[in-house]
PDB file of all heavy atoms in Angstrom:
ATOM      1  N   HIS R  51      -6.776  41.348  -7.429  1.00 93.00           N
ATOM      2  CA  HIS R  51      -7.508  42.634  -6.960  1.00 93.00           C
ATOM      3  C   HIS R  51      -6.895  43.725  -7.654  1.00 93.00           C
ATOM      4  O   HIS R  51      -6.194  43.661  -8.618  1.00 93.00           O
ATOM      5  CB  HIS R  51      -7.545  42.552  -5.419  1.00 93.00           C
ATOM      6  CG  HIS R  51      -6.220  42.408  -4.736  1.00 93.00           C
ATOM      7  ND1 HIS R  51      -5.287  43.391  -4.768  1.00 93.00           N
ATOM      8  CD2 HIS R  51      -5.597  41.341  -4.122  1.00 93.00           C
ATOM      9  CE1 HIS R  51      -4.120  42.940  -4.216  1.00 93.00           C
ATOM     10  NE2 HIS R  51      -4.354  41.777  -3.808  1.00 93.00           N
ATOM     11  N   ASP R  79     -11.388  45.389  -3.913  1.00 94.00           N
ATOM     12  CA  ASP R  79     -11.655  45.411  -2.541  1.00 94.00           C
ATOM     13  C   ASP R  79     -10.867  46.293  -1.708  1.00 94.00           C
ATOM     14  O   ASP R  79     -11.409  47.106  -0.817  1.00 94.00           O
ATOM     15  CB  ASP R  79     -11.526  43.874  -1.927  1.00 94.00           C
ATOM     16  CG  ASP R  79     -10.215  43.232  -2.213  1.00 94.00           C
ATOM     17  OD1 ASP R  79      -9.348  43.910  -2.875  1.00 94.00           O
ATOM     18  OD2 ASP R  79     -10.083  42.032  -1.969  1.00 94.00           O
ATOM     19  N   HIS R  80      -9.518  46.401  -1.950  1.00 93.00           N
ATOM     20  CA  HIS R  80      -8.633  47.154  -1.050  1.00 93.00           C
ATOM     21  C   HIS R  80      -8.961  48.768  -1.073  1.00 93.00           C
ATOM     22  O   HIS R  80      -8.776  49.357  -0.106  1.00 93.00           O
ATOM     23  CB  HIS R  80      -7.248  46.846  -1.346  1.00 93.00           C
ATOM     24  CG  HIS R  80      -6.771  45.515  -0.627  1.00 93.00           C
ATOM     25  ND1 HIS R  80      -7.204  44.395  -1.289  1.00 93.00           N
ATOM     26  CD2 HIS R  80      -5.997  45.196   0.340  1.00 93.00           C
ATOM     27  CE1 HIS R  80      -6.682  43.332  -0.494  1.00 93.00           C
ATOM     28  NE2 HIS R  80      -5.876  43.833   0.384  1.00 93.00           N
ATOM     29  N   ILE R 125     -14.594  41.456  -0.783  1.00 97.00           N
ATOM     30  CA  ILE R 125     -13.301  41.037  -0.309  1.00 97.00           C
ATOM     31  C   ILE R 125     -12.928  39.769  -0.968  1.00 97.00           C
ATOM     32  O   ILE R 125     -13.703  38.816  -0.939  1.00 97.00           O
ATOM     33  CB  ILE R 125     -13.158  40.948   1.103  1.00 97.00           C
ATOM     34  CG1 ILE R 125     -13.543  42.369   1.846  1.00 97.00           C
ATOM     35  CG2 ILE R 125     -11.698  40.752   1.595  1.00 97.00           C
ATOM     36  CD1 ILE R 125     -13.572  42.293   3.290  1.00 97.00           C
ATOM     37  N   VAL R 126     -11.770  39.833  -1.600  1.00 97.00           N
ATOM     38  CA  VAL R 126     -11.275  38.534  -2.386  1.00 97.00           C
ATOM     39  C   VAL R 126     -11.552  37.192  -1.677  1.00 97.00           C
ATOM     40  O   VAL R 126     -11.944  36.205  -2.187  1.00 97.00           O
ATOM     41  CB  VAL R 126      -9.940  38.707  -3.075  1.00 97.00           C
ATOM     42  CG1 VAL R 126      -8.954  38.857  -1.938  1.00 97.00           C
ATOM     43  CG2 VAL R 126      -9.609  37.516  -3.952  1.00 97.00           C
ATOM     44  N   HIS R 127     -11.228  37.214  -0.355  1.00 98.00           N
ATOM     45  CA  HIS R 127     -11.341  36.090   0.318  1.00 98.00           C
ATOM     46  C   HIS R 127     -12.746  35.687   0.909  1.00 98.00           C
ATOM     47  O   HIS R 127     -13.000  34.758   1.530  1.00 98.00           O
ATOM     48  CB  HIS R 127     -10.337  36.039   1.595  1.00 98.00           C
ATOM     49  CG  HIS R 127      -9.018  36.511   1.216  1.00 98.00           C
ATOM     50  ND1 HIS R 127      -8.249  36.045   0.195  1.00 98.00           N
ATOM     51  CD2 HIS R 127      -8.103  37.370   1.641  1.00 98.00           C
ATOM     52  CE1 HIS R 127      -7.164  36.548  -0.013  1.00 98.00           C
ATOM     53  NE2 HIS R 127      -7.092  37.384   0.941  1.00 98.00           N
ATOM     54  N   VAL R 128     -13.597  36.723   0.717  1.00 98.00           N
ATOM     55  CA  VAL R 128     -15.094  36.418   1.052  1.00 98.00           C
ATOM     56  C   VAL R 128     -15.704  35.877  -0.289  1.00 98.00           C
ATOM     57  O   VAL R 128     -16.471  34.944  -0.286  1.00 98.00           O
ATOM     58  CB  VAL R 128     -15.756  37.656   1.494  1.00 98.00           C
ATOM     59  CG1 VAL R 128     -17.178  37.402   1.723  1.00 98.00           C
ATOM     60  CG2 VAL R 128     -15.104  38.037   2.786  1.00 98.00           C
ATOM     61  N   CYS R 144      -2.984  34.275  -4.355  1.00 96.00           N
ATOM     62  CA  CYS R 144      -3.401  35.576  -4.409  1.00 96.00           C
ATOM     63  C   CYS R 144      -2.339  36.514  -3.866  1.00 96.00           C
ATOM     64  O   CYS R 144      -1.732  36.039  -2.916  1.00 96.00           O
ATOM     65  CB  CYS R 144      -4.773  35.739  -3.737  1.00 96.00           C
ATOM     66  SG  CYS R 144      -5.440  37.384  -3.645  1.00 96.00           S
ATOM     67  N   ASP R 146      -2.101  38.471  -1.488  1.00 91.00           N
ATOM     68  CA  ASP R 146      -2.509  39.075  -0.236  1.00 91.00           C
ATOM     69  C   ASP R 146      -2.408  37.912   0.796  1.00 91.00           C
ATOM     70  O   ASP R 146      -2.696  36.658   0.460  1.00 91.00           O
ATOM     71  CB  ASP R 146      -4.057  39.393  -0.428  1.00 91.00           C
ATOM     72  CG  ASP R 146      -4.522  39.850   0.971  1.00 91.00           C
ATOM     73  OD1 ASP R 146      -4.812  39.110   1.818  1.00 91.00           O
ATOM     74  OD2 ASP R 146      -4.739  41.164   0.970  1.00 91.00           O
ATOM     75  N   SER R 147      -1.794  38.253   1.822  1.00 89.00           N
ATOM     76  CA  SER R 147      -1.443  37.230   2.783  1.00 89.00           C
ATOM     77  C   SER R 147      -2.454  36.276   3.394  1.00 89.00           C
ATOM     78  O   SER R 147      -2.250  35.211   3.794  1.00 89.00           O
ATOM     79  CB  SER R 147      -0.483  37.786   3.934  1.00 89.00           C
ATOM     80  OG  SER R 147      -1.140  38.930   4.432  1.00 89.00           O
ATOM     81  N   HIS R 148      -3.729  37.011   3.392  1.00 96.00           N
ATOM     82  CA  HIS R 148      -4.767  36.187   3.976  1.00 96.00           C
ATOM     83  C   HIS R 148      -5.475  35.158   3.113  1.00 96.00           C
ATOM     84  O   HIS R 148      -6.520  34.663   3.351  1.00 96.00           O
ATOM     85  CB  HIS R 148      -5.817  37.092   4.715  1.00 96.00           C
ATOM     86  CG  HIS R 148      -5.187  37.671   5.918  1.00 96.00           C
ATOM     87  ND1 HIS R 148      -4.551  38.918   5.842  1.00 96.00           N
ATOM     88  CD2 HIS R 148      -5.066  37.303   7.164  1.00 96.00           C
ATOM     89  CE1 HIS R 148      -4.171  39.084   7.056  1.00 96.00           C
ATOM     90  NE2 HIS R 148      -4.350  38.119   7.884  1.00 96.00           N
ATOM     91  N   THR R 149      -4.765  34.866   2.001  1.00 97.00           N
ATOM     92  CA  THR R 149      -5.253  33.862   1.066  1.00 97.00           C
ATOM     93  C   THR R 149      -5.409  32.451   1.747  1.00 97.00           C
ATOM     94  O   THR R 149      -6.130  31.692   1.319  1.00 97.00           O
ATOM     95  CB  THR R 149      -4.242  33.752  -0.154  1.00 97.00           C
ATOM     96  OG1 THR R 149      -4.125  35.085  -0.596  1.00 97.00           O
ATOM     97  CG2 THR R 149      -4.732  32.813  -1.112  1.00 97.00           C
ATOM     98  N   THR R 151      -7.182  31.850   3.933  1.00 98.00           N
ATOM     99  CA  THR R 151      -8.618  31.623   4.356  1.00 98.00           C
ATOM    100  C   THR R 151      -9.253  30.550   3.550  1.00 98.00           C
ATOM    101  O   THR R 151     -10.078  29.811   4.083  1.00 98.00           O
ATOM    102  CB  THR R 151      -9.428  33.057   3.933  1.00 98.00           C
ATOM    103  OG1 THR R 151      -8.676  34.225   4.364  1.00 98.00           O
ATOM    104  CG2 THR R 151     -10.769  33.004   4.446  1.00 98.00           C
ATOM    105  N   ASN R 239      -8.223  31.912   8.010  1.00 98.00           N
ATOM    106  CA  ASN R 239      -7.778  33.280   7.669  1.00 98.00           C
ATOM    107  C   ASN R 239      -6.685  33.742   8.540  1.00 98.00           C
ATOM    108  O   ASN R 239      -5.559  34.281   7.921  1.00 98.00           O
ATOM    109  CB  ASN R 239      -9.005  34.180   7.981  1.00 98.00           C
ATOM    110  CG  ASN R 239      -8.587  35.695   7.817  1.00 98.00           C
ATOM    111  OD1 ASN R 239      -8.207  36.236   8.683  1.00 98.00           O
ATOM    112  ND2 ASN R 239      -8.883  36.181   6.679  1.00 98.00           N
ATOM    113  N   GLU R 243      -1.145  34.811  10.864  1.00 95.00           N
ATOM    114  CA  GLU R 243      -0.911  35.474  12.054  1.00 95.00           C
ATOM    115  C   GLU R 243      -0.060  34.618  13.082  1.00 95.00           C
ATOM    116  O   GLU R 243       0.460  35.007  14.083  1.00 95.00           O
ATOM    117  CB  GLU R 243      -2.091  36.056  12.866  1.00 95.00           C
ATOM    118  CG  GLU R 243      -2.535  37.520  12.279  1.00 95.00           C
ATOM    119  CD  GLU R 243      -2.878  37.584  10.917  1.00 95.00           C
ATOM    120  OE1 GLU R 243      -3.668  36.841  10.336  1.00 95.00           O
ATOM    121  OE2 GLU R 243      -2.278  38.463  10.094  1.00 95.00           O
ATOM    122  N   PHE R 361     -14.826  48.549  14.682  1.00 98.00           N
ATOM    123  CA  PHE R 361     -14.918  48.126  13.242  1.00 98.00           C
ATOM    124  C   PHE R 361     -15.359  46.626  13.248  1.00 98.00           C
ATOM    125  O   PHE R 361     -14.697  45.831  13.688  1.00 98.00           O
ATOM    126  CB  PHE R 361     -13.499  48.283  12.664  1.00 98.00           C
ATOM    127  CG  PHE R 361     -13.453  47.691  11.270  1.00 98.00           C
ATOM    128  CD1 PHE R 361     -14.073  48.122  10.242  1.00 98.00           C
ATOM    129  CD2 PHE R 361     -12.449  46.626  11.038  1.00 98.00           C
ATOM    130  CE1 PHE R 361     -14.070  47.550   8.931  1.00 98.00           C
ATOM    131  CE2 PHE R 361     -12.418  46.112   9.856  1.00 98.00           C
ATOM    132  CZ  PHE R 361     -13.227  46.440   8.845  1.00 98.00           C
ATOM    133  N   GLY R 363     -16.016  43.900  10.445  1.00 97.00           N
ATOM    134  CA  GLY R 363     -15.924  43.699   9.031  1.00 97.00           C
ATOM    135  C   GLY R 363     -14.615  42.917   8.679  1.00 97.00           C
ATOM    136  O   GLY R 363     -14.127  42.079   9.615  1.00 97.00           O
ATOM    137  N   SER R 364     -14.166  42.975   7.418  1.00 97.00           N
ATOM    138  CA  SER R 364     -12.889  42.269   7.017  1.00 97.00           C
ATOM    139  C   SER R 364     -13.043  40.809   6.566  1.00 97.00           C
ATOM    140  O   SER R 364     -14.211  40.359   6.735  1.00 97.00           O
ATOM    141  CB  SER R 364     -11.775  42.311   8.162  1.00 97.00           C
ATOM    142  OG  SER R 364     -11.942  41.216   8.844  1.00 97.00           O
ATOM    143  N   CYS R 365     -12.038  40.281   6.025  1.00 97.00           N
ATOM    144  CA  CYS R 365     -12.153  38.920   5.414  1.00 97.00           C
ATOM    145  C   CYS R 365     -12.045  37.885   6.573  1.00 97.00           C
ATOM    146  O   CYS R 365     -12.245  36.649   6.389  1.00 97.00           O
ATOM    147  CB  CYS R 365     -11.047  38.665   4.431  1.00 97.00           C
ATOM    148  SG  CYS R 365      -9.396  38.795   5.109  1.00 97.00           S
ATOM    149  N   THR R 366     -11.836  38.401   7.797  1.00 98.00           N
ATOM    150  CA  THR R 366     -11.873  37.538   8.919  1.00 98.00           C
ATOM    151  C   THR R 366     -13.298  37.325   9.443  1.00 98.00           C
ATOM    152  O   THR R 366     -13.711  36.182   9.706  1.00 98.00           O
ATOM    153  CB  THR R 366     -10.956  38.163  10.051  1.00 98.00           C
ATOM    154  OG1 THR R 366      -9.813  38.454   9.528  1.00 98.00           O
ATOM    155  CG2 THR R 366     -10.647  37.011  11.141  1.00 98.00           C
ATOM    156  N   GLY R 422     -16.012  46.016   1.262  1.00 94.00           N
ATOM    157  CA  GLY R 422     -14.661  46.193   1.020  1.00 94.00           C
ATOM    158  C   GLY R 422     -13.718  45.937   2.198  1.00 94.00           C
ATOM    159  O   GLY R 422     -14.227  45.506   3.272  1.00 94.00           O
ATOM    160  N   CYS R 423     -12.505  46.207   2.017  1.00 94.00           N
ATOM    161  CA  CYS R 423     -11.510  45.928   3.093  1.00 94.00           C
ATOM    162  C   CYS R 423     -11.600  46.915   4.158  1.00 94.00           C
ATOM    163  O   CYS R 423     -11.336  46.687   5.388  1.00 94.00           O
ATOM    164  CB  CYS R 423     -10.132  45.928   2.581  1.00 94.00           C
ATOM    165  SG  CYS R 423      -9.806  44.436   1.508  1.00 94.00           S
ATOM    166  N   SER R 424     -11.912  48.202   3.803  1.00 94.00           N
ATOM    167  CA  SER R 424     -12.030  49.229   4.824  1.00 94.00           C
ATOM    168  C   SER R 424     -10.992  49.375   5.892  1.00 94.00           C
ATOM    169  O   SER R 424      -9.847  49.325   5.414  1.00 94.00           O
ATOM    170  CB  SER R 424     -13.529  49.040   5.418  1.00 94.00           C
ATOM    171  OG  SER R 424     -13.784  50.085   6.286  1.00 94.00           O
ATOM    172  N   MET R 425     -11.339  49.461   7.033  1.00 93.00           N
ATOM    173  CA  MET R 425     -10.412  49.666   8.163  1.00 93.00           C
ATOM    174  C   MET R 425      -9.520  48.452   8.481  1.00 93.00           C
ATOM    175  O   MET R 425      -8.658  48.712   9.269  1.00 93.00           O
ATOM    176  CB  MET R 425     -11.305  50.089   9.284  1.00 93.00           C
ATOM    177  CG  MET R 425     -10.595  51.226  10.053  1.00 93.00           C
ATOM    178  SD  MET R 425     -11.525  51.742  11.602  1.00 93.00           S
ATOM    179  CE  MET R 425     -10.036  52.143  12.567  1.00 93.00           C
ATOM    180  N   CYS R 426      -9.772  47.312   7.891  1.00 92.00           N
ATOM    181  CA  CYS R 426      -8.748  46.277   8.181  1.00 92.00           C
ATOM    182  C   CYS R 426      -7.390  46.798   7.753  1.00 92.00           C
ATOM    183  O   CYS R 426      -6.475  46.544   8.511  1.00 92.00           O
ATOM    184  CB  CYS R 426      -9.125  45.114   7.299  1.00 92.00           C
ATOM    185  SG  CYS R 426      -8.081  43.788   7.524  1.00 92.00           S
ATOM    186  N   CYS R 427      -7.231  47.383   6.686  1.00 90.00           N
ATOM    187  CA  CYS R 427      -5.907  47.864   6.259  1.00 90.00           C
ATOM    188  C   CYS R 427      -5.729  49.415   6.132  1.00 90.00           C
ATOM    189  O   CYS R 427      -4.867  50.074   6.068  1.00 90.00           O
ATOM    190  CB  CYS R 427      -5.391  47.262   4.877  1.00 90.00           C
ATOM    191  SG  CYS R 427      -6.564  47.662   3.599  1.00 90.00           S
ATOM    192  N   GLY R 428      -7.106  49.865   5.932  1.00 89.00           N
ATOM    193  CA  GLY R 428      -7.139  51.505   5.994  1.00 89.00           C
ATOM    194  C   GLY R 428      -6.633  52.084   4.657  1.00 89.00           C
ATOM    195  O   GLY R 428      -6.547  53.252   4.738  1.00 89.00           O
ATOM    196  N   PHE R 429      -6.480  51.259   3.685  1.00 88.00           N
ATOM    197  CA  PHE R 429      -5.898  51.807   2.443  1.00 88.00           C
ATOM    198  C   PHE R 429      -6.818  52.897   1.880  1.00 88.00           C
ATOM    199  O   PHE R 429      -6.405  53.848   1.308  1.00 88.00           O
ATOM    200  CB  PHE R 429      -5.747  50.766   1.379  1.00 88.00           C
ATOM    201  CG  PHE R 429      -4.605  49.803   1.469  1.00 88.00           C
ATOM    202  CD1 PHE R 429      -3.848  50.009   2.776  1.00 88.00           C
ATOM    203  CD2 PHE R 429      -4.336  48.800   0.600  1.00 88.00           C
ATOM    204  CE1 PHE R 429      -2.776  49.036   2.928  1.00 88.00           C
ATOM    205  CE2 PHE R 429      -3.194  47.893   0.912  1.00 88.00           C
ATOM    206  CZ  PHE R 429      -2.408  48.081   2.135  1.00 88.00           C
ATOM    207  N   SER R 444     -10.964  42.553  12.642  1.00 97.00           N
ATOM    208  CA  SER R 444      -9.991  42.133  11.609  1.00 97.00           C
ATOM    209  C   SER R 444      -8.906  41.260  12.119  1.00 97.00           C
ATOM    210  O   SER R 444      -9.087  40.626  13.160  1.00 97.00           O
ATOM    211  CB  SER R 444      -9.473  43.455  10.967  1.00 97.00           C
ATOM    212  OG  SER R 444      -8.857  44.268  11.962  1.00 97.00           O
ATOM    213  N   ASN R 445      -7.782  41.247  11.546  1.00 96.00           N
ATOM    214  CA  ASN R 445      -6.796  40.311  11.847  1.00 96.00           C
ATOM    215  C   ASN R 445      -5.398  40.700  12.360  1.00 96.00           C
ATOM    216  O   ASN R 445      -4.652  39.897  12.820  1.00 96.00           O
ATOM    217  CB  ASN R 445      -6.575  39.311  10.599  1.00 96.00           C
ATOM    218  CG  ASN R 445      -6.474  40.159   9.476  1.00 96.00           C
ATOM    219  OD1 ASN R 445      -5.737  41.059   9.316  1.00 96.00           O
ATOM    220  ND2 ASN R 445      -7.273  39.822   8.326  1.00 96.00           N
ATOM    221  N   ARG R 446      -5.246  41.999  12.227  1.00 95.00           N
ATOM    222  CA  ARG R 446      -3.866  42.504  12.621  1.00 95.00           C
ATOM    223  C   ARG R 446      -3.928  43.688  13.497  1.00 95.00           C
ATOM    224  O   ARG R 446      -4.662  44.629  13.254  1.00 95.00           O
ATOM    225  CB  ARG R 446      -3.128  42.830  11.277  1.00 95.00           C
ATOM    226  CG  ARG R 446      -2.583  41.605  10.623  1.00 95.00           C
ATOM    227  CD  ARG R 446      -1.817  41.961   9.512  1.00 95.00           C
ATOM    228  NE  ARG R 446      -1.321  40.621   9.078  1.00 95.00           N
ATOM    229  CZ  ARG R 446      -0.876  40.365   7.716  1.00 95.00           C
ATOM    230  NH1 ARG R 446      -1.068  41.159   6.808  1.00 95.00           N
ATOM    231  NH2 ARG R 446      -0.473  39.142   7.366  1.00 95.00           N
ATOM    232  N   ARG R 451      -1.347  50.082  11.934  1.00 92.00           N
ATOM    233  CA  ARG R 451      -2.235  49.315  10.860  1.00 92.00           C
ATOM    234  C   ARG R 451      -3.573  50.085  10.496  1.00 92.00           C
ATOM    235  O   ARG R 451      -3.848  50.192   9.361  1.00 92.00           O
ATOM    236  CB  ARG R 451      -2.539  47.953  11.326  1.00 92.00           C
ATOM    237  CG  ARG R 451      -3.560  47.009  10.439  1.00 92.00           C
ATOM    238  CD  ARG R 451      -2.795  46.177   9.368  1.00 92.00           C
ATOM    239  NE  ARG R 451      -3.787  45.482   8.676  1.00 92.00           N
ATOM    240  CZ  ARG R 451      -3.423  44.690   7.564  1.00 92.00           C
ATOM    241  NH1 ARG R 451      -2.159  44.791   7.151  1.00 92.00           N
ATOM    242  NH2 ARG R 451      -4.349  44.073   7.047  1.00 92.00           N
TER     243      ARG R 451
ATOM    244  N   SER W 109       1.884  41.217   6.620  1.00 77.00           N
ATOM    245  CA  SER W 109       1.331  41.448   5.262  1.00 77.00           C
ATOM    246  C   SER W 109       2.472  40.939   4.178  1.00 77.00           C
ATOM    247  O   SER W 109       3.632  41.066   4.244  1.00 77.00           O
ATOM    248  CB  SER W 109       1.082  42.882   5.126  1.00 77.00           C
ATOM    249  OG  SER W 109       0.923  43.193   3.763  1.00 77.00           O
ATOM    250  N   ARG W 111       2.971  42.303   1.461  1.00 80.00           N
ATOM    251  CA  ARG W 111       3.480  43.329   0.600  1.00 80.00           C
ATOM    252  C   ARG W 111       5.046  43.146   0.259  1.00 80.00           C
ATOM    253  O   ARG W 111       5.874  43.312   1.037  1.00 80.00           O
ATOM    254  CB  ARG W 111       3.352  44.742   1.257  1.00 80.00           C
ATOM    255  CG  ARG W 111       3.900  44.908   2.582  1.00 80.00           C
ATOM    256  CD  ARG W 111       3.369  46.190   3.325  1.00 80.00           C
ATOM    257  NE  ARG W 111       2.022  45.924   3.711  1.00 80.00           N
ATOM    258  CZ  ARG W 111       1.327  46.734   4.542  1.00 80.00           C
ATOM    259  NH1 ARG W 111       2.084  47.656   5.107  1.00 80.00           N
ATOM    260  NH2 ARG W 111       0.066  46.602   4.806  1.00 80.00           N
TER     261      ARG W 111
HETATM  262  S1  SF4 X  16      -9.905  42.518   4.679  1.00 76.65           S
HETATM  263 FE1  SF4 X  16      -7.852  42.979   5.440  1.00 76.65          FE
HETATM  264  S2  SF4 X  16      -6.747  41.158   5.490  1.00 76.65           S
HETATM  265 FE2  SF4 X  16      -8.620  40.703   4.270  1.00 76.65          FE
HETATM  266  S3  SF4 X  16      -7.893  41.075   2.197  1.00 76.65           S
HETATM  267 FE3  SF4 X  16      -8.750  43.048   2.907  1.00 76.65          FE
HETATM  268  S4  SF4 X  16      -6.917  44.112   3.718  1.00 76.65           S
HETATM  269 FE4  SF4 X  16      -6.341  41.988   3.518  1.00 76.65          FE
END
Side-chain angles (χ1 to χ4, degrees):
Chain R
H51 48 75
D79 54 6
H80 284 71
I125 306 172
V126 61
H127 312 312
V128 175
C144 173
D146 183 281
S147 45
H148 290 93
T149 308
T151 313
N239 176 272
E243 273 64 51
F361 168 63
S364 86
C365 60
T366 317
C423 293
S424 181
M425 215 180 149
C426 173
C427 59
F429 287 1
S444 56
N445 43 51
R446 285 185 173 147
R451 169 91 175 175
Chain W
S109 162
R111 60 192 64 166

